[in-house]
Structures are given as C-alpha cells and as structure tokens.
Amino acid sequence: MYFCKKEFEAKNLYGLDYSDSLISKANKFNGLKGVNFSVGSAENFKFDILFDAIIMTGVLSYFDDITNVIKCINSHLSSNGVVIITGGFNDADVDVMVRYRNNKYFNTFESGWNMHSINTIRKILQEFDLDIIDIKIFYLSFKSKPQDDPCRSWNISTEDGMKFTNGMGLLYDIRSLVIKRIS
C-alpha cells in the first residue's frame, strides 16, 4: 500500500486485512495517512465503490477454495479495471493444499501456503468473465537469508535460476497474475 500511495496519484486508496493489529499499525503509520483501512476477509468484503485496480498479495494461498474471493473481487472491479494477484501458483494443473505447524510459534496446524494451479484460477476467473492477460515472475534484486521464523521465505540459486524456499521445504516462484475482464 505504501508503494501505491507513493508512486501513483490515486484519489481513493483502500486497504483490507483480516488482522486487527495489522490494520491498527497501518492506521498509525504516517506514510499511509489518508488510506481507508478496514478489517475484513477477502471472501466477503463490501465497499460501496468500484475499483480501477485491485492488488492482492499473498492472500489466495490461505484459501482452499478461492471462488468466493474471485467473486468478491469481481463485484468490486470497474468495467475497465485490472486485478493483480501475487503469490505462489502451480504451473502444473495440480492444486496443492498445505497445512503446517510451526512448533516455535503455535501448536495447531495452519494454512497459508496453498498453491493453486494457474489452470484452476483461469477456470474460476472465466465464471466471472475475467481472465489472466499476463503473468510476471517476481525476482528479488538481492540474495535473502533464512530468518528466525523458518516459515519466512528466502531465495536460493538453483540450476533453473533463483527460486524461493522456506523451512517447509517448498521451492517456488512468486508470480503476479494480471487479470482483466474478457467481455
């Protein structure tokens, strides 16, 4: 959100997160003054506005079924709007559901690392007359290192180039899916 506020001349910026504490921090941060923040879910948020751009980063991986998320995005997208969804997506037509327990921080199994196939995403988008018009791979311009929390990602060199990994043993690219209406 900070990048969008700094780089673009937007009249109205809205931010949404399910975490009260993150929204509270965002509201207190001077660099985000004037942004309309709300606590809510990507599956059922409601604003009385259509957006020219909807940017979602690292969200789809929390949901086993992304249909309601896409439906909600569609209901808030202007006719010429664009959606950019960034995360880990599977090139193979295989949807991967991941549950993990980070024993250092909690005792229950959590979600957040699902990798939906690009093909599945396309099928759901088409139900709403949306489609992926471009896919961009995200690369860090520097080498990152493992953090104290093993579930935080870092990048490594592979024979296929730089990839992200984490303490769950996942190896993946981060992609941005650029989405528009097809009708």
mmCIF file of all heavy atoms in Angstrom, residues 139-182:
data_model
loop_
_atom_site.group_PDB
_atom_site.id
_atom_site.type_symbol
_atom_site.label_atom_id
_atom_site.label_comp_id
_atom_site.label_asym_id
_atom_site.label_seq_id
_atom_site.Cartn_x
_atom_site.Cartn_y
_atom_site.Cartn_z
ATOM 1 N N TYR A 139 11.261 -11.315 -9.040
ATOM 2 C CA TYR A 139 12.629 -11.639 -8.620
ATOM 3 C C TYR A 139 13.107 -10.595 -7.629
ATOM 4 O O TYR A 139 12.879 -9.398 -7.816
ATOM 5 C CB TYR A 139 13.592 -11.628 -9.819
ATOM 6 C CG TYR A 139 13.296 -12.680 -10.853
ATOM 7 C CD1 TYR A 139 12.641 -12.348 -12.035
ATOM 8 C CD2 TYR A 139 13.673 -14.002 -10.654
ATOM 9 C CE1 TYR A 139 12.375 -13.315 -12.999
ATOM 10 C CE2 TYR A 139 13.408 -14.970 -11.598
ATOM 11 C CZ TYR A 139 12.759 -14.615 -12.768
ATOM 12 O OH TYR A 139 12.487 -15.578 -13.710
ATOM 13 N N LEU A 140 13.770 -11.049 -6.584
ATOM 14 C CA LEU A 140 14.438 -10.109 -5.687
ATOM 15 C C LEU A 140 15.732 -9.655 -6.339
ATOM 16 O O LEU A 140 16.406 -10.442 -7.008
ATOM 17 C CB LEU A 140 14.771 -10.775 -4.345
ATOM 18 C CG LEU A 140 13.637 -10.996 -3.371
ATOM 19 C CD1 LEU A 140 14.151 -11.697 -2.111
ATOM 20 C CD2 LEU A 140 12.969 -9.690 -2.995
ATOM 21 N N SER A 141 16.101 -8.419 -6.121
ATOM 22 C CA SER A 141 17.343 -7.894 -6.692
ATOM 23 C C SER A 141 18.538 -8.170 -5.789
ATOM 24 O O SER A 141 19.633 -7.715 -6.048
ATOM 25 C CB SER A 141 17.209 -6.393 -6.942
ATOM 26 O OG SER A 141 16.930 -5.729 -5.720
ATOM 27 N N PHE A 142 18.302 -8.924 -4.722
ATOM 28 C CA PHE A 142 19.368 -9.247 -3.776
ATOM 29 C C PHE A 142 19.135 -10.660 -3.242
ATOM 30 O O PHE A 142 18.061 -11.223 -3.379
ATOM 31 C CB PHE A 142 19.372 -8.244 -2.611
ATOM 32 C CG PHE A 142 18.064 -8.175 -1.875
ATOM 33 C CD1 PHE A 142 17.827 -8.983 -0.775
ATOM 34 C CD2 PHE A 142 17.065 -7.299 -2.291
ATOM 35 C CE1 PHE A 142 16.621 -8.934 -0.103
ATOM 36 C CE2 PHE A 142 15.855 -7.237 -1.617
ATOM 37 C CZ PHE A 142 15.630 -8.053 -0.522
ATOM 38 N N LYS A 143 20.147 -11.218 -2.643
ATOM 39 C CA LYS A 143 20.067 -12.546 -2.039
ATOM 40 C C LYS A 143 19.545 -12.396 -0.610
ATOM 41 O O LYS A 143 20.100 -11.636 0.175
ATOM 42 C CB LYS A 143 21.464 -13.181 -2.044
ATOM 43 C CG LYS A 143 21.508 -14.573 -1.539
ATOM 44 C CD LYS A 143 21.431 -15.543 -2.666
ATOM 45 C CE LYS A 143 21.828 -16.898 -2.113
ATOM 46 N NZ LYS A 143 21.300 -17.985 -2.736
ATOM 47 N N SER A 144 18.464 -13.089 -0.297
ATOM 48 C CA SER A 144 17.919 -13.032 1.066
ATOM 49 C C SER A 144 18.366 -14.275 1.832
ATOM 50 O O SER A 144 18.823 -15.254 1.251
ATOM 51 C CB SER A 144 16.398 -12.919 1.034
ATOM 52 O OG SER A 144 15.830 -14.015 0.353
ATOM 53 N N LYS A 145 18.216 -14.224 3.147
ATOM 54 C CA LYS A 145 18.694 -15.304 4.008
ATOM 55 C C LYS A 145 17.565 -15.800 4.896
ATOM 56 O O LYS A 145 16.598 -15.080 5.158
ATOM 57 C CB LYS A 145 19.839 -14.784 4.894
ATOM 58 C CG LYS A 145 21.056 -14.376 4.107
ATOM 59 C CD LYS A 145 22.148 -13.875 5.022
ATOM 60 C CE LYS A 145 23.332 -13.436 4.159
ATOM 61 N NZ LYS A 145 24.425 -12.933 4.952
ATOM 62 N N PRO A 146 17.701 -17.022 5.417
ATOM 63 C CA PRO A 146 16.704 -17.531 6.360
ATOM 64 C C PRO A 146 16.569 -16.606 7.579
ATOM 65 O O PRO A 146 17.550 -16.017 8.034
ATOM 66 C CB PRO A 146 17.252 -18.899 6.772
ATOM 67 C CG PRO A 146 18.172 -19.293 5.664
ATOM 68 C CD PRO A 146 18.745 -18.008 5.139
ATOM 69 N N GLN A 147 15.357 -16.499 8.094
ATOM 70 C CA GLN A 147 15.056 -15.677 9.268
ATOM 71 C C GLN A 147 14.870 -16.571 10.487
ATOM 72 O O GLN A 147 14.918 -17.794 10.391
ATOM 73 C CB GLN A 147 13.774 -14.874 9.005
ATOM 74 C CG GLN A 147 13.807 -14.028 7.746
ATOM 75 C CD GLN A 147 14.821 -12.917 7.826
ATOM 76 O OE1 GLN A 147 14.858 -12.171 8.795
ATOM 77 N NE2 GLN A 147 15.670 -12.810 6.814
ATOM 78 N N ASP A 148 14.623 -15.968 11.636
ATOM 79 C CA ASP A 148 14.343 -16.747 12.843
ATOM 80 C C ASP A 148 13.115 -17.625 12.654
ATOM 81 O O ASP A 148 13.067 -18.748 13.148
ATOM 82 C CB ASP A 148 14.125 -15.826 14.050
ATOM 83 C CG ASP A 148 15.410 -15.197 14.539
ATOM 84 O OD1 ASP A 148 16.495 -15.757 14.273
ATOM 85 O OD2 ASP A 148 15.336 -14.136 15.193
ATOM 86 N N ASP A 149 12.104 -17.084 11.986
ATOM 87 C CA ASP A 149 10.895 -17.858 11.700
ATOM 88 C C ASP A 149 11.156 -18.683 10.439
ATOM 89 O O ASP A 149 11.281 -18.134 9.347
ATOM 90 C CB ASP A 149 9.718 -16.907 11.483
ATOM 91 C CG ASP A 149 8.413 -17.630 11.188
ATOM 92 O OD1 ASP A 149 8.431 -18.855 10.934
ATOM 93 O OD2 ASP A 149 7.372 -16.951 11.180
ATOM 94 N N PRO A 150 11.236 -20.012 10.553
ATOM 95 C CA PRO A 150 11.570 -20.835 9.395
ATOM 96 C C PRO A 150 10.493 -20.833 8.301
ATOM 97 O O PRO A 150 10.742 -21.292 7.188
ATOM 98 C CB PRO A 150 11.745 -22.239 9.980
ATOM 99 C CG PRO A 150 10.971 -22.225 11.242
ATOM 100 C CD PRO A 150 11.021 -20.815 11.756
ATOM 101 N N CYS A 151 9.320 -20.302 8.611
ATOM 102 C CA CYS A 151 8.259 -20.247 7.594
ATOM 103 C C CYS A 151 8.357 -18.992 6.736
ATOM 104 O O CYS A 151 7.614 -18.833 5.767
ATOM 105 C CB CYS A 151 6.894 -20.355 8.252
ATOM 106 S SG CYS A 151 6.659 -21.976 9.013
ATOM 107 N N ARG A 152 9.259 -18.101 7.059
ATOM 108 C CA ARG A 152 9.522 -16.932 6.208
ATOM 109 C C ARG A 152 10.407 -17.370 5.047
ATOM 110 O O ARG A 152 11.321 -18.173 5.206
ATOM 111 C CB ARG A 152 10.229 -15.829 6.990
ATOM 112 C CG ARG A 152 9.395 -15.240 8.079
ATOM 113 C CD ARG A 152 8.382 -14.326 7.483
ATOM 114 N NE ARG A 152 7.577 -13.701 8.513
ATOM 115 C CZ ARG A 152 6.452 -13.083 8.253
ATOM 116 N NH1 ARG A 152 6.017 -13.000 7.024
ATOM 117 N NH2 ARG A 152 5.764 -12.548 9.212
ATOM 118 N N SER A 153 10.133 -16.820 3.894
ATOM 119 C CA SER A 153 10.848 -17.238 2.676
ATOM 120 C C SER A 153 12.198 -16.559 2.531
ATOM 121 O O SER A 153 12.428 -15.475 3.040
ATOM 122 C CB SER A 153 9.998 -16.900 1.451
ATOM 123 O OG SER A 153 8.790 -17.603 1.484
ATOM 124 N N TRP A 154 13.062 -17.225 1.793
ATOM 125 C CA TRP A 154 14.325 -16.661 1.339
ATOM 126 C C TRP A 154 14.580 -17.223 -0.050
ATOM 127 O O TRP A 154 13.897 -18.130 -0.504
ATOM 128 C CB TRP A 154 15.462 -16.968 2.317
ATOM 129 C CG TRP A 154 15.805 -18.413 2.480
ATOM 130 C CD1 TRP A 154 16.722 -19.127 1.759
ATOM 131 C CD2 TRP A 154 15.242 -19.347 3.428
ATOM 132 N NE1 TRP A 154 16.773 -20.431 2.195
ATOM 133 C CE2 TRP A 154 15.871 -20.589 3.221
ATOM 134 C CE3 TRP A 154 14.271 -19.238 4.421
ATOM 135 C CZ2 TRP A 154 15.557 -21.716 3.974
ATOM 136 C CZ3 TRP A 154 13.964 -20.363 5.168
ATOM 137 C CH2 TRP A 154 14.602 -21.578 4.945
ATOM 138 N N ASN A 155 15.534 -16.644 -0.755
ATOM 139 C CA ASN A 155 15.795 -17.123 -2.116
ATOM 140 C C ASN A 155 17.129 -17.865 -2.191
ATOM 141 O O ASN A 155 18.032 -17.624 -1.405
ATOM 142 C CB ASN A 155 15.716 -15.987 -3.137
ATOM 143 C CG ASN A 155 16.673 -14.864 -2.868
ATOM 144 O OD1 ASN A 155 17.442 -14.879 -1.923
ATOM 145 N ND2 ASN A 155 16.635 -13.844 -3.711
ATOM 146 N N ILE A 156 17.180 -18.807 -3.142
ATOM 147 C CA ILE A 156 18.379 -19.613 -3.352
ATOM 148 C C ILE A 156 18.626 -19.745 -4.848
ATOM 149 O O ILE A 156 17.711 -19.609 -5.665
ATOM 150 C CB ILE A 156 18.258 -21.024 -2.718
ATOM 151 C CG1 ILE A 156 17.085 -21.805 -3.327
ATOM 152 C CG2 ILE A 156 18.136 -20.930 -1.199
ATOM 153 C CD1 ILE A 156 17.022 -23.269 -2.920
ATOM 154 N N SER A 157 19.869 -20.016 -5.196
ATOM 155 C CA SER A 157 20.223 -20.281 -6.590
ATOM 156 C C SER A 157 19.976 -21.752 -6.889
ATOM 157 O O SER A 157 20.340 -22.620 -6.099
ATOM 158 C CB SER A 157 21.696 -19.969 -6.845
ATOM 159 O OG SER A 157 21.948 -18.609 -6.643
ATOM 160 N N THR A 158 19.343 -22.025 -8.028
ATOM 161 C CA THR A 158 19.149 -23.392 -8.494
ATOM 162 C C THR A 158 19.620 -23.460 -9.941
ATOM 163 O O THR A 158 19.903 -22.438 -10.560
ATOM 164 C CB THR A 158 17.665 -23.829 -8.425
ATOM 165 O OG1 THR A 158 16.932 -23.170 -9.457
ATOM 166 C CG2 THR A 158 17.060 -23.526 -7.060
ATOM 167 N N GLU A 159 19.663 -24.652 -10.499
ATOM 168 C CA GLU A 159 20.053 -24.770 -11.908
ATOM 169 C C GLU A 159 19.003 -24.145 -12.825
ATOM 170 O O GLU A 159 19.278 -23.856 -13.981
ATOM 171 C CB GLU A 159 20.310 -26.228 -12.289
ATOM 172 C CG GLU A 159 19.118 -27.123 -12.141
ATOM 173 C CD GLU A 159 19.450 -28.590 -12.402
ATOM 174 O OE1 GLU A 159 20.529 -29.047 -12.000
ATOM 175 O OE2 GLU A 159 18.609 -29.249 -13.019
ATOM 176 N N ASP A 160 17.811 -23.880 -12.293
ATOM 177 C CA ASP A 160 16.753 -23.211 -13.049
ATOM 178 C C ASP A 160 16.657 -21.728 -12.703
ATOM 179 O O ASP A 160 15.657 -21.080 -13.009
ATOM 180 C CB ASP A 160 15.398 -23.873 -12.777
ATOM 181 C CG ASP A 160 15.334 -25.284 -13.322
ATOM 182 O OD1 ASP A 160 15.903 -25.532 -14.398
ATOM 183 O OD2 ASP A 160 14.734 -26.145 -12.657
ATOM 184 N N GLY A 161 17.668 -21.190 -12.045
ATOM 185 C CA GLY A 161 17.660 -19.783 -11.656
ATOM 186 C C GLY A 161 17.282 -19.613 -10.194
ATOM 187 O O GLY A 161 17.203 -20.573 -9.439
ATOM 188 N N MET A 162 17.037 -18.369 -9.809
ATOM 189 C CA MET A 162 16.681 -18.066 -8.425
ATOM 190 C C MET A 162 15.273 -18.542 -8.127
ATOM 191 O O MET A 162 14.351 -18.353 -8.916
ATOM 192 C CB MET A 162 16.779 -16.558 -8.165
ATOM 193 C CG MET A 162 18.194 -16.001 -8.283
ATOM 194 S SD MET A 162 19.337 -16.709 -7.091
ATOM 195 C CE MET A 162 18.837 -15.881 -5.613
ATOM 196 N N LYS A 163 15.113 -19.177 -6.976
ATOM 197 C CA LYS A 163 13.819 -19.659 -6.502
ATOM 198 C C LYS A 163 13.668 -19.270 -5.036
ATOM 199 O O LYS A 163 14.646 -19.020 -4.334
ATOM 200 C CB LYS A 163 13.718 -21.186 -6.614
ATOM 201 C CG LYS A 163 13.872 -21.741 -8.007
ATOM 202 C CD LYS A 163 12.653 -21.499 -8.841
ATOM 203 C CE LYS A 163 12.828 -22.093 -10.231
ATOM 204 N NZ LYS A 163 11.719 -21.768 -11.101
ATOM 205 N N PHE A 164 12.417 -19.233 -4.585
ATOM 206 C CA PHE A 164 12.141 -19.017 -3.174
ATOM 207 C C PHE A 164 11.983 -20.368 -2.498
ATOM 208 O O PHE A 164 11.535 -21.340 -3.102
ATOM 209 C CB PHE A 164 10.862 -18.192 -2.993
ATOM 210 C CG PHE A 164 11.044 -16.752 -3.358
ATOM 211 C CD1 PHE A 164 10.777 -16.314 -4.649
ATOM 212 C CD2 PHE A 164 11.486 -15.832 -2.418
ATOM 213 C CE1 PHE A 164 10.947 -14.993 -4.991
ATOM 214 C CE2 PHE A 164 11.667 -14.509 -2.758
ATOM 215 C CZ PHE A 164 11.394 -14.084 -4.045
ATOM 216 N N THR A 165 12.341 -20.418 -1.216
ATOM 217 C CA THR A 165 12.165 -21.611 -0.404
ATOM 218 C C THR A 165 11.837 -21.181 1.018
ATOM 219 O O THR A 165 11.803 -19.980 1.325
ATOM 220 C CB THR A 165 13.413 -22.520 -0.440
ATOM 221 O OG1 THR A 165 13.087 -23.778 0.154
ATOM 222 C CG2 THR A 165 14.604 -21.881 0.257
ATOM 223 N N ASN A 166 11.584 -22.144 1.881
ATOM 224 C CA ASN A 166 11.325 -21.868 3.295
ATOM 225 C C ASN A 166 11.561 -23.140 4.094
ATOM 226 O O ASN A 166 11.944 -24.165 3.537
ATOM 227 C CB ASN A 166 9.901 -21.319 3.487
ATOM 228 C CG ASN A 166 8.850 -22.257 2.958
ATOM 229 O OD1 ASN A 166 8.982 -23.470 3.000
ATOM 230 N ND2 ASN A 166 7.773 -21.690 2.448
ATOM 231 N N GLY A 167 11.312 -23.071 5.387
ATOM 232 C CA GLY A 167 11.546 -24.209 6.269
ATOM 233 C C GLY A 167 10.571 -25.352 6.084
ATOM 234 O O GLY A 167 10.703 -26.385 6.731
ATOM 235 N N MET A 168 9.595 -25.195 5.205
ATOM 236 C CA MET A 168 8.665 -26.286 4.889
ATOM 237 C C MET A 168 9.163 -27.120 3.730
ATOM 238 O O MET A 168 8.520 -28.077 3.324
ATOM 239 C CB MET A 168 7.279 -25.720 4.567
ATOM 240 C CG MET A 168 6.586 -25.171 5.798
ATOM 241 S SD MET A 168 5.034 -24.367 5.390
ATOM 242 C CE MET A 168 5.631 -22.718 5.073
ATOM 243 N N GLY A 169 10.287 -26.733 3.163
ATOM 244 C CA GLY A 169 10.849 -27.480 2.047
ATOM 245 C C GLY A 169 10.215 -27.145 0.708
ATOM 246 O O GLY A 169 10.415 -27.868 -0.267
ATOM 247 N N LEU A 170 9.456 -26.064 0.643
ATOM 248 C CA LEU A 170 8.850 -25.659 -0.628
ATOM 249 C C LEU A 170 9.886 -24.952 -1.491
ATOM 250 O O LEU A 170 10.767 -24.262 -0.991
ATOM 251 C CB LEU A 170 7.667 -24.717 -0.375
ATOM 252 C CG LEU A 170 6.506 -25.293 0.435
ATOM 253 C CD1 LEU A 170 5.471 -24.202 0.711
ATOM 254 C CD2 LEU A 170 5.870 -26.462 -0.285
ATOM 255 N N LEU A 171 9.773 -25.127 -2.781
ATOM 256 C CA LEU A 171 10.620 -24.455 -3.758
ATOM 257 C C LEU A 171 9.684 -23.872 -4.809
ATOM 258 O O LEU A 171 8.933 -24.615 -5.444
ATOM 259 C CB LEU A 171 11.595 -25.456 -4.394
ATOM 260 C CG LEU A 171 12.651 -24.892 -5.326
ATOM 261 C CD1 LEU A 171 13.609 -23.969 -4.578
ATOM 262 C CD2 LEU A 171 13.415 -26.021 -6.001
ATOM 263 N N TYR A 172 9.707 -22.564 -4.989
ATOM 264 C CA TYR A 172 8.686 -21.948 -5.834
ATOM 265 C C TYR A 172 9.128 -20.590 -6.374
ATOM 266 O O TYR A 172 10.084 -19.993 -5.894
ATOM 267 C CB TYR A 172 7.384 -21.788 -5.035
ATOM 268 C CG TYR A 172 7.538 -20.930 -3.804
ATOM 269 C CD1 TYR A 172 7.205 -19.590 -3.820
ATOM 270 C CD2 TYR A 172 8.047 -21.466 -2.616
ATOM 271 C CE1 TYR A 172 7.368 -18.798 -2.698
ATOM 272 C CE2 TYR A 172 8.206 -20.689 -1.498
ATOM 273 C CZ TYR A 172 7.862 -19.354 -1.542
ATOM 274 O OH TYR A 172 8.036 -18.580 -0.436
ATOM 275 N N ASP A 173 8.387 -20.136 -7.372
ATOM 276 C CA ASP A 173 8.494 -18.777 -7.891
ATOM 277 C C ASP A 173 7.338 -17.968 -7.311
ATOM 278 O O ASP A 173 6.280 -18.517 -6.986
ATOM 279 C CB ASP A 173 8.341 -18.748 -9.422
ATOM 280 C CG ASP A 173 9.525 -19.350 -10.145
ATOM 281 O OD1 ASP A 173 10.674 -19.047 -9.770
ATOM 282 O OD2 ASP A 173 9.294 -20.132 -11.088
ATOM 283 N N ILE A 174 7.520 -16.687 -7.207
ATOM 284 C CA ILE A 174 6.422 -15.786 -6.900
ATOM 285 C C ILE A 174 6.036 -15.110 -8.204
ATOM 286 O O ILE A 174 6.897 -14.609 -8.930
ATOM 287 C CB ILE A 174 6.816 -14.747 -5.832
ATOM 288 C CG1 ILE A 174 7.108 -15.446 -4.512
ATOM 289 C CG2 ILE A 174 5.712 -13.702 -5.669
ATOM 290 C CD1 ILE A 174 7.595 -14.530 -3.413
ATOM 291 N N ARG A 175 4.743 -15.147 -8.486
ATOM 292 C CA ARG A 175 4.249 -14.574 -9.744
ATOM 293 C C ARG A 175 3.160 -13.553 -9.469
ATOM 294 O O ARG A 175 2.435 -13.654 -8.482
ATOM 295 C CB ARG A 175 3.678 -15.673 -10.629
ATOM 296 C CG ARG A 175 4.705 -16.654 -11.102
ATOM 297 C CD ARG A 175 4.063 -17.598 -12.105
ATOM 298 N NE ARG A 175 5.062 -18.508 -12.615
ATOM 299 C CZ ARG A 175 5.278 -19.712 -12.113
ATOM 300 N NH1 ARG A 175 4.554 -20.142 -11.119
ATOM 301 N NH2 ARG A 175 6.197 -20.489 -12.626
ATOM 302 N N SER A 176 3.045 -12.615 -10.381
ATOM 303 C CA SER A 176 1.917 -11.688 -10.389
ATOM 304 C C SER A 176 1.056 -12.033 -11.595
ATOM 305 O O SER A 176 1.543 -12.048 -12.723
ATOM 306 C CB SER A 176 2.393 -10.244 -10.478
ATOM 307 O OG SER A 176 3.056 -9.876 -9.298
ATOM 308 N N LEU A 177 -0.221 -12.314 -11.324
ATOM 309 C CA LEU A 177 -1.184 -12.582 -12.374
ATOM 310 C C LEU A 177 -1.926 -11.287 -12.669
ATOM 311 O O LEU A 177 -2.522 -10.697 -11.755
ATOM 312 C CB LEU A 177 -2.175 -13.658 -11.938
ATOM 313 C CG LEU A 177 -1.605 -14.954 -11.359
ATOM 314 C CD1 LEU A 177 -2.738 -15.894 -10.958
ATOM 315 C CD2 LEU A 177 -0.667 -15.618 -12.336
ATOM 316 N N VAL A 178 -1.863 -10.829 -13.899
ATOM 317 C CA VAL A 178 -2.562 -9.606 -14.306
ATOM 318 C C VAL A 178 -3.873 -10.043 -14.945
ATOM 319 O O VAL A 178 -3.878 -10.820 -15.912
ATOM 320 C CB VAL A 178 -1.708 -8.778 -15.283
ATOM 321 C CG1 VAL A 178 -2.428 -7.485 -15.658
ATOM 322 C CG2 VAL A 178 -0.338 -8.473 -14.672
ATOM 323 N N ILE A 179 -4.976 -9.550 -14.409
ATOM 324 C CA ILE A 179 -6.306 -10.040 -14.759
ATOM 325 C C ILE A 179 -7.194 -8.887 -15.222
ATOM 326 O O ILE A 179 -7.170 -7.804 -14.607
ATOM 327 C CB ILE A 179 -6.949 -10.738 -13.536
ATOM 328 C CG1 ILE A 179 -6.057 -11.933 -13.117
ATOM 329 C CG2 ILE A 179 -8.378 -11.142 -13.807
ATOM 330 C CD1 ILE A 179 -6.359 -12.453 -11.731
ATOM 331 N N LYS A 180 -7.972 -9.136 -16.277
ATOM 332 C CA LYS A 180 -8.932 -8.136 -16.776
ATOM 333 C C LYS A 180 -10.208 -8.840 -17.205
ATOM 334 O O LYS A 180 -10.246 -10.052 -17.368
ATOM 335 C CB LYS A 180 -8.339 -7.364 -17.962
ATOM 336 C CG LYS A 180 -7.216 -6.422 -17.544
ATOM 337 C CD LYS A 180 -6.946 -5.386 -18.572
ATOM 338 C CE LYS A 180 -8.062 -4.372 -18.546
ATOM 339 N NZ LYS A 180 -7.731 -3.045 -18.905
ATOM 340 N N ARG A 181 -11.225 -8.053 -17.453
ATOM 341 C CA ARG A 181 -12.485 -8.577 -17.988
ATOM 342 C C ARG A 181 -12.281 -9.005 -19.438
ATOM 343 O O ARG A 181 -11.550 -8.367 -20.180
ATOM 344 C CB ARG A 181 -13.574 -7.521 -17.934
ATOM 345 C CG ARG A 181 -13.929 -7.133 -16.537
ATOM 346 C CD ARG A 181 -15.290 -6.467 -16.439
ATOM 347 N NE ARG A 181 -15.517 -6.067 -15.068
ATOM 348 C CZ ARG A 181 -15.853 -6.883 -14.088
ATOM 349 N NH1 ARG A 181 -16.034 -8.143 -14.334
ATOM 350 N NH2 ARG A 181 -16.033 -6.441 -12.861
ATOM 351 N N ILE A 182 -12.960 -10.086 -19.839
ATOM 352 C CA ILE A 182 -12.832 -10.568 -21.215
ATOM 353 C C ILE A 182 -14.005 -10.149 -22.085
ATOM 354 O O ILE A 182 -13.996 -10.370 -23.284
ATOM 355 C CB ILE A 182 -12.650 -12.108 -21.270
ATOM 356 C CG1 ILE A 182 -13.755 -12.837 -20.522
ATOM 357 C CG2 ILE A 182 -11.293 -12.485 -20.729
ATOM 358 C CD1 ILE A 182 -13.689 -14.351 -20.591
#
